[in-house]
Amino acid sequence: MEISKNVQNLLANIGLSPDEDVKAKLCFHENLIISKCADGSTVPIGGISINIQPSPGDKYLVYVNSKFQCDTSTGGSRITAWVSSSLNTIEEKRIEYISGDVNAKQSLYVGSQLDHILVRHGPDQGGGRVKKVYSYAEIGDLVGEGANLVLMRLLALMKHVGEIEVSTMYITGDLCTNIYSCSGPEIAIVNNSEQQVCKIRRKIIEQCGIEHYCHVTLTVGGRLVQQEWHDCAYTIHLNPLLDLAETNANLLPRTWRDDMQLYSQFLDQKVRETKLSECYLNDSPDLEHLLKDYLQHLLVHKPEGDVIEFSAEFFKRYAKYVRKSDLDTPEE
């Protein structure tokens, strides 16, 4: 199978252009179950929420939040990403953590600058974060974990057959080769109903040569059915009680505004929430001054790269208690 090394070329080859109809197909909100596989059965231990929404300027906003409980430890991850219409990563913040017998928290920030890609990774708090700079020639067609979800949905929607090679990035900030292999649609039983699905094998190759494999199954409508990593005891899957024969929840944003009763309830609730917010702000003049100070500070300094980190440094001065680790300046 021929390998395409440019995501934008893929879009052109399969006849998609980044208009509003495409955004409507690629944007979705799903809640899935995380289970542990043992002795031929699966035991639910957590969940994951995936939310992809359109954003002005032909972009996508991707938000993923997962949490699971295993033995005496609690773990999870969060992803917030801006993805271009050509499915390249513009900016992404990823956090992975585990607490319990072992406590660890790692973060990765990836930001597109004018002539380079800025990367920061390491412990999410305190010192020890490492800064890296990649040229666009080095990084190639970067598809981060947020963009990965959009791309896999696109491949299923278009029933794509073939291979696509792009680059991705580990939580360690290291570049990896990322290859998607798509075999096309086939019939499978999903939650006791016959569905047309697309299976995608994702291969990630580290710079040292180590390979990792992920097997993903989606319906041709783009719904994620199952995701499994090779040699991993955990799987992400649909709720087994979900009836796929019912109207797809992804169609709700297109129809609810046409229902006069639902739309009226929405407007009433919107007015109530707006009034409550206005009352709160009017009763909290200190908050108004604080926000004005922050916006002025932001516009004066115009930080490049991690705006979240810049904002955290600004608000530390107002904290009543600050941990010593938060006062350490990360090494550049």
Side-chain angles (χ1 to χ4, degrees):
M1 289 180 286
E2 183 179 356
I3 295 180
S4 170
K5 298 192 68 172
N6 188 294
V7 182
Q8 197 164 16
N9 286 344
L10 168 64
L11 294 177
N13 291 339
I14 59 180
L16 272 178
S17 57
D19 55 21
E20 291 303 316
D21 287 338
V22 174
K23 285 190 174 185
K25 292 177 182 178
L26 295 179
C27 297
F28 66 99
H29 182 196
E30 285 188 336
N31 295 312
L32 302 152
I33 296 174
I34 301 175
S35 294
K36 183 177 181 179
C37 305
D39 300 325
S41 62
T42 57
V43 179
I45 59 172
I48 179 171
S49 177
I50 304 172
N51 196 340
I52 300 177
Q53 297 296 331
S55 180
D58 283 334
K59 295 191 292 289
Y60 303 97
L61 174 61
V62 181
Y63 180 73
V64 182
N65 191 7
S66 70
K67 188 174 183 180
F68 62 88
Q69 181 77 36
C70 186
D71 299 327
T72 59
S73 298
T74 299
S77 63
R78 290 192 298 275
I79 299 173
T80 304
W82 291 100
V83 179
S84 71
S85 59
S86 59
L87 303 192
N88 292 106
T89 298
I90 300 171
E91 189 173 21
E92 180 171 291
K93 176 70 179 291
R94 191 178 353 154
I95 295 175
E96 297 178 0
Y97 68 91
I98 187 167
S99 60
D101 295 336
V102 177
N103 292 296
K105 192 174 185 179
Q106 293 288 320
S107 70
L108 172 69
Y109 170 81
V110 180
S112 299
Q113 307 298 310
L114 184 62
D115 56 356
H116 64 273
I117 298 288
L118 176 65
V119 176
R120 288 194 180 97
H121 68 90
D124 189 51
Q125 296 177 338
R129 299 191 74 190
V130 178
K131 175 181 176 181
K132 293 181 180 179
V133 174
Y134 291 100
S135 68
Y136 282 102
E138 290 176 300
I139 211 160
D141 298 302
L142 179 65
V143 175
E145 287 306 300
N148 163 67
L149 293 167
V150 186
L151 176 56
M152 289 196 299
R153 183 175 174 86
L154 174 66
L155 295 175
L157 285 168
M158 302 308 299
K159 303 178 183 178
H160 183 71
V161 178
E163 290 191 350
I164 307 155
E165 180 179 330
V166 292
S167 61
T168 191
M169 189 168 290
Y170 255 24
I171 191 77
T172 58
D174 295 328
L175 280 175
C176 303
T177 300
N178 187 11
I179 301 176
Y180 299 89
S181 300
C182 312
S183 56
E186 60 184 78
I187 300 298
I189 302 299
V190 181
N191 288 4
N192 298 319
S193 67
E194 193 174 88
Q195 297 288 327
Q196 207 175 9
V197 302
C198 291
K199 294 184 178 180
I200 301 172
R201 189 184 75 157
R202 184 184 179 196
K203 178 167 70 172
I204 296 178
I205 308 173
E206 297 185 50
Q207 292 178 341
C208 63
I210 297 177
E211 297 182 354
H212 307 272
Y213 295 91
C214 177
H215 299 273
V216 184
T217 302
L218 303 98
T219 67
V220 292
R223 169 161 275 174
L224 185 61
V225 175
Q226 188 172 41
Q227 175 173 301
E228 295 179 298
W229 285 93
H230 186 61
D231 291 333
C232 179
Y234 305 99
T235 181
I236 298 172
H237 60 88
L238 276 177
N239 185 334
L241 301 178
L242 185 66
D243 186 0
L244 294 180
E246 294 181 354
T247 302
N248 194 320
N250 295 322
L251 298 180
L252 181 60
R254 290 184 174 186
T255 60
W256 69 275
R257 288 178 180 271
D258 298 328
D259 188 310
M260 185 176 295
Q261 184 177 358
L262 284 177
Y263 192 55
S264 176
Q265 291 175 356
F266 162 75
L267 292 177
D268 291 342
Q269 183 66 25
K270 182 178 180 180
V271 170
R272 284 194 294 269
E273 295 297 332
T274 301
K275 291 296 183 184
L276 287 173
S277 299
E278 289 176 352
C279 290
Y280 176 71
L281 291 175
N282 290 334
D283 294 338
S284 308
D286 291 342
L287 178 59
E288 183 180 359
H289 297 322
L290 176 63
L291 293 176
K292 286 182 178 178
D293 289 345
Y294 166 69
L295 288 175
Q296 184 179 33
H297 187 67
L298 181 69
L299 294 174
V300 168
H301 292 276
K302 295 181 177 64
E304 294 185 3
D306 198 340
V307 178
I308 295 176
E309 184 176 323
F310 174 85
S311 303
E313 291 296 328
F314 172 82
F315 286 107
K316 277 180 186 177
R317 69 185 71 178
Y318 297 101
K320 188 173 182 180
Y321 302 104
V322 180
R323 292 175 295 186
K324 184 179 182 301
S325 60
D326 289 341
L327 297 174
D328 298 335
T329 303
E331 296 181 3
E332 294 292 331

